Each structure stands twice: as structure tokens, then as C-alpha cells.
Amino acid sequence: MILLTLAQQAAPAARSSGLFGDSQFVLMIAFLLGWFVITLPMIAIAARWYKRAGSDIAFVRTGMGGRRVIVHGGAIAIPVLHEISPVGLQTMTLELSLGSDAGLRSSDRKPAKLAARFAVHVPPDIESISQAAQSFGAGATDPDKILPVVRDKLQACVLEVVGQTSSNDLVEARAAFANRLKEAATTALRANGLEVDSVLVTELSVAGYAP
């Protein structure tokens, strides 16, 4: 009714111009006003619901329509119907420290102590992002929340690689040891959607070692 009233009020101007009849003009104006009244709020709502992936963050949308991984571009995420899980694509550092109390011993059975930093990231592909979202949930952008999930895997890698390495090689060939540790961690964390970029051994000592 309001739209028709507005259109009728504008009809005299149209009639004086000679371009439209009263009924034609009223219908045309009512249609245009109705289109704007319906469309503009829908556009505003869609803009609020639109989630865009960034250069260092992707996200997984679940819910209505199934699982969808967004690496570039964006998607509509409707509250209640969809859930968004952001996944960080930037390099993150996971720090781990182990000592003889955790059973860390060289291949010649000497107690060892180690601290290392694992630089990891989620590759920007659909499979890795989906695995990371499933593994870490809402914590897939926070290394402090990622580490507790993969700590046991990293610890197992350290115990295995140290246990296969002599005390001499641990101390004197640290770079080679770090490379073997990186290879083991890469294999272990692949199922979590993580790729290991590098391993930095910040502390390494072997009890009773004398070069």
C-alpha cells in the first residue's frame, strides 16, 4: 500500500510529461521501489555473512551444503546453518624440550637432553587445510593450541631419532641430526595437515660425553 501511494503521488509528474499513463507509471514505480526494498536488505545481510580467505589464512565451512574448503576468495556463512573453522597458512613455531626423564638416550645408551624448534605450516591445498581443521578445530591458527595435539608425535620422533644416533654424532654432527629429525617429523605430522619447514636444535647435550 505504501509503495502504491508513493507511486500515485508521482503520477501527475509523469502525466504532464506525456511519457507514461497513470497506471503504467504507478506500476513501474511500485515495481522499482519494491525491488529496492527487497534487494538492498538482502545485499546488506549477504555482505555481513560473506567470509573471505586471506593470504595467510584459509577456512573450512561445514553445515548446510556439506564441507567446503576456502583457500582463495570467499563464501557465504549463514549463522546456525554453517560453522567456520579458520586455518592459518603462515609459518608457526612449535617448541619441544625432552630430557633423560622422558627416556631420551643415544644409541650408545647415554642420557641426553634436547630442545628444538619445529617451523611448520599448513600447505595451501584442500587436503592439508581440511586435515588441519579436523585435527585442531578452532585452534588451527594458534601454535599454542596446535602443539598439545602433536606433542606426542614430535616426542616419539625425537626419541626414535636420538635413539638411532650415537652420542658422538649427536654432538658433532648436529646439522645432520636435525635433518633426520625433520624427515621423521614431516612424515609424522602429514596426517595433521602440517608440513615441516625446518628444525632448529637449540640445546643438545649428552651425559658423560667426552669428544
Side-chain angles (χ1 to χ4, degrees), residues 33-178:
L33 290 175
W35 185 86
F36 278 110
V37 167
I38 294 173
T39 303
L40 292 181
M42 292 178 63
I43 293 175
I45 292 173
R48 291 184 59 186
W49 289 346
Y50 187 77
K51 304 296 183 182
R52 178 177 292 276
S55 59
D56 60 352
I57 192 166
F59 64 86
V60 177
R61 189 191 72 179
T62 55
M64 187 180 71
R67 175 181 293 268
R68 182 181 176 190
V69 177
I70 310 298
V71 185
H72 304 292
I76 296 293
I78 303 174
V80 180
L81 299 181
H82 296 124
E83 182 176 344
I84 293 294
S85 297
V87 176
L89 304 180
Q90 75 278 15
T91 299
M92 297 172 282
T93 301
L94 308 178
E95 299 191 17
L96 184 71
S97 297
L98 286 179
S100 58
D101 56 337
L104 191 63
R105 293 180 180 274
S106 63
S107 62
D108 45 357
R109 306 306 299 164
K110 291 183 178 180
K113 182 178 181 181
L114 175 143
R117 294 174 181 170
F118 297 80
V120 303
H121 77 280
V122 178
D125 61 74
I126 291 176
E127 182 178 1
S128 297
I129 292 170
S130 182
Q131 290 173 329
Q134 289 179 331
S135 298
F136 312 119
T141 61
D142 186 352
D144 291 334
K145 295 180 180 178
I146 290 175
L147 180 57
V149 178
V150 300
R151 184 190 299 276
D152 288 347
K153 287 187 175 183
L154 291 178
Q155 181 170 324
C157 290
V158 172
L159 290 172
E160 178 183 0
V161 177
V162 170
Q164 296 172 346
T165 309
S166 69
S167 55
N168 181 75
D169 287 343
L170 284 174
V171 178
E172 302 297 333
R174 183 179 294 192
F177 164 72

Side-chain angles (χ1 to χ4, degrees), residues 178-211:
N179 285 334
R180 292 197 299 274
L181 187 55
K182 175 188 173 184
E183 292 174 1
T186 296
T187 301
L189 300 186
R190 186 172 291 126
N192 300 105
L194 293 176
E195 183 173 308
V196 181
D197 299 323
S198 63
V199 176
L200 175 64
V201 178
T202 58
E203 180 183 353
L204 179 58
S205 62
V206 180
Y209 172 74

